[in-house]
Amino acid sequence: MYWQKEYETMPREKLKELQLARLQQTVRRVYENVPFYRQKLRAAGIEPGDIKSLSDLNKLPFTTKQDLRDNYPFGLFAVPLDQVVRLHASSGTTGKPTVVGYTKNDITTWSDLMARALAMAGGTKKDVVQNAYGYGLFTGGLGIHYGAERMGATVVPVSGGNTPRQLMLMQDFGTTILTCTPSYALYLSEEMVSAGIDPRKLKLRVGIFGAEPWSERMREQLEAKLNLTALDIYGLSEVIGPGVAMECLEKKGMHIFEDHFIAEIIDPDTEEPLPYGKQGELVITSLTKEALPIIRYRTRDITVLNCSPCDCGRTFVRMQRVTGRTDDMLIIRGVNVFPSQIESVLLEFGDTEPHYLLVVDRKGALDDLEIWVELSDKFFSDKVRALEELEEKLRARILSVLGISARIKLVEPRTIPRSEGKAKRVVDKREI
Ligand code: DLL
């Protein structure tokens, strides 16, 4: 169940020593090799030698996505391009993508981290891993692929999309581990029903779902619909890709691979560090990356860290499910809300499906939220009265749990667009 037991169960005191040594090395590496960091550190009056304890971390300046953009494409690399064996990029919504690079050692590290993640889910070399994360510049496909190979599992590099083929391979190859976004897993489960495939007759055992926020109720749905154990995996390209953190079978948060990354939580507004247990923005520093070391990267992801011991025996801190990103947070008439919180409420009722879209608009000076949610087949009826009652029930529940007033628009089954990768949950007409 462990891939690298020595690290995964390292006593925390020892782990901190390792982190400090690696942090000092990383700060020195960026200072010497990346003009951007050298200037930033100098401006903050810091020399690599000033990092004497882990608490000195907060003397270091933050790095943001904008810094990567400003130094497009390779400006933050700490090695010459001839040592870079792979590039990935995350598609920006506007303009140029964010480019990340890996040395040979970085690829080995990443593969080990992904092998750890698969082992954490109970994976072994006997497993058949159907990898339905997208292959290409996105880190999901190749990241998981290398980890599965590293573990010795049989990997099926099917990539996202082509759902009928996914279902065929799943049956014919005896897939035991499915890896994809939770929204695509949901779509696969629906298509399974339409194709008359009984999930209980498949060999699927575990789903490793991530790359987008999802709720505990979505987990329940996916586990029931696909007859597997659904686990959460977290990562981001700027830091390495998938395999920054992974949930163990205890299902109580994702262990952050702290021998390679230091995680902090800060208040996104004041930028002050927050203690364990407090919700805030996750900030990550890489400790071993060569091509693109990253110092105090502001992920924009909102979570909580938990340092209490885990029954699985791993000593790494756990991060809770990501509620959302600071930039995805909706402010509806002054109340902050994340799409995943709305998802959670919608799924309390068996009458709707986990397919929803949040349409935000501005009416006069006020924000207006309309929630489109799909009816389940079994509820779908033309009895206007029943539909009105359901709308009212959902509206009241959203108001009492989240404190926001929204309009509910019930839509027919299978009318909200399905996603093969990351789902788009919000349509913000205020920007147009
Ligand atoms: O999504 C890497 C990845 C691939 C993770 C496959 C897991 C599985 P990016 O495209 O750079 O990288 O997007 C990173 O996605 O900052 C989060 O906002 C979001 N995200 C990733 N995993 C989760 C998760 C990959 N488990 C951004 N829960 C991150 C919630 C997640 N959000």
Side-chain angles (χ1 to χ4, degrees), residues 10 12-28 48-60 258-262 285-288:
M10 190 176 258
R12 289 201 66 79
E13 279 315 305
K14 235 181 120 194
L15 180 65
K16 284 184 182 160
E17 283 169 27
L18 180 70
Q19 284 188 321
L20 177 60
R22 290 180 165 179
L23 176 66
Q24 289 167 331
Q25 221 173 32
T26 297
V27 173
R28 182 151 289 121
D50 296 339
I51 305 298
K52 298 201 171 69
S53 76
L54 284 180
S55 59
D56 291 329
L57 183 67
N58 65 20
K59 293 184 181 158
L60 298 172
E258 287 184 286
D259 49 339
H260 294 275
F261 310 107
I262 298 184
T285 301
S286 75
L287 296 176
T288 53

Side-chain angles (χ1 to χ4, degrees), residues 65 89-91 110 114 133 138-141 144 180-182 208-214 231-245 254 297 299-302 319-325 327-328 422:
K65 201 177 183 78
S90 73
S91 49
W110 189 16
M114 268 314 308
Y133 284 109
F138 175 54
T139 52
I144 278 148
C180 61
T181 59
I208 301 184
F209 303 139
E212 63 183 7
W214 52 307
L231 299 175
D232 200 357
I233 183 166
Y234 172 82
L236 61 168
S237 16
E238 293 85 350
V239 171
I240 202 163
V244 172
M254 296 177 272
Y297 185 69
T299 65
R300 304 265 165 208
D301 294 320
I302 299 295
M319 61 183 269
Q320 265 179 20
R321 223 172 238 306
V322 172
T323 330
R325 298 176 52 79
D327 26 19
D328 284 348
K422 299 185 191 233

Side-chain angles (χ1 to χ4, degrees), residues 334-399:
V335 182
N336 300 351
V337 60
F338 290 105
S340 66
Q341 294 174 297
I342 295 176
E343 170 182 303
S344 205
V345 175
L346 294 177
L347 297 189
E348 283 178 22
F349 302 93
D351 305 329
T352 54
E353 289 293 317
H355 294 289
Y356 61 95
L357 198 64
L358 310 178
V359 183
V360 192
D361 208 345
R362 184 157 289 145
K363 296 260 159 77
L366 289 176
D367 297 317
D368 176 77
L369 174 65
E370 186 169 74
I371 303 175
W372 296 21
V373 54
E374 262 183 34
L375 285 165
S376 65
D377 273 324
K378 67 176 183 312
F379 192 86
F380 187 54
S381 89
D382 46 12
K383 292 205 191 73
V384 178
R385 180 79 198 262
L387 295 177
E388 280 174 358
E389 276 172 15
L390 178 58
E391 275 179 6
E392 178 49 29
K393 201 164 70 169
L394 287 169
R395 202 193 60 77
R397 188 74 187 146
I398 297 266
L399 182 62

Side-chain angles (χ1 to χ4, degrees), residues 9 23-24 34 39 52 55 75-76 97 103 131 147 188 208 249 268 283 297 312 319 329 380:
T9 61
L23 176 66
Q24 289 167 331
V34 189
Q39 281 156 19
K52 298 201 171 69
S55 59
L76 294 193
T103 63
N131 187 15
L188 280 169
I208 301 184
L249 289 163
V283 170
Y297 185 69
C312 76
M319 61 183 269
M329 188 177 74
F380 187 54

